[in-house]
């Protein structure tokens, strides 16, 4: 059996040297390693893209919050300055109306 094994190893080494992979398990392992490498690379790219998207999301949320604050400030400013100016001298001023007593 030792001679057969030595012959097998010799042929296998020659096949490897020639670029052939006679053992289907070796071919499968090689193919799976290649797939694993590609998937690992793709996962790294996906993680990088996800990190960039999270940063952009945080930035856009802060911009949105700042715009919301500015809108609230402008609304408050408008309500304090625009209430007396709405009348523009036309019609009765609601501030000069005297309520009638109720019976």
């Amino acid at each position: 059996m030792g001679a057969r094994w030595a012959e097998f190893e010799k042929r296998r080494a020659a096949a490897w040297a020639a670029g052939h992979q006679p053992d289907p398990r070796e071919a499968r392992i090689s193919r799976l390693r290649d797939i694993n490498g590609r998937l690992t690379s793709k996962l790294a790219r996906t993680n990088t893209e996800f990190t960039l998207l999270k940063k952009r999301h945080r930035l856009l949320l802060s911009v949105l919050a700042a715009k919301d604050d500015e809108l609230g400030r402008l609304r408050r400013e408008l309500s304090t300055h625009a209430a007396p100016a709405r009348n523009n001298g036309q019609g009765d001023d609601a501030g000069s109306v005297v309520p009638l007593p109720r019976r």
Side-chain angles (χ1 to χ4, degrees):
M1 174 118 172
R4 285 186 181 175
W5 184 255
E7 180 63 25
F8 171 77
E9 287 294 325
K10 181 179 172 185
R11 286 185 184 184
R12 189 172 125 191
W16 268 112
H20 300 123
Q21 296 178 351
D23 188 355
R25 291 173 297 175
E26 294 290 335
R28 184 165 187 229
I29 289 170
S30 177
R31 185 175 52 82
L32 290 173
R33 281 187 179 143
D34 181 52
I35 291 171
N36 187 37
R38 285 186 280 147
L39 289 175
T40 301
S41 177
K42 185 176 182 179
L43 180 62
R45 287 191 310 271
T46 302
N47 281 337
T48 301
E49 183 179 351
F50 182 66
T51 301
L52 291 173
L53 287 172
K54 283 194 309 188
K55 286 179 183 178
R56 183 172 170 89
H57 182 256
R58 273 188 247 122
L59 173 67
L60 291 174
L61 281 177
S62 70
V63 168
L64 185 60
K67 292 293 182 184
D68 187 53
D69 289 345
E70 181 182 7
L71 183 60
R73 181 187 59 79
L74 290 172
R75 282 183 177 156
R76 284 188 304 277
E77 186 179 315
L78 182 64
S79 70
T80 58
H81 295 299
R86 284 186 187 158
N87 195 351
N88 292 331
Q90 299 173 350
D92 292 332
D93 187 3
S96 64
V97 174
V98 177
L100 294 173
R102 295 195 176 219
R103 292 186 196 193

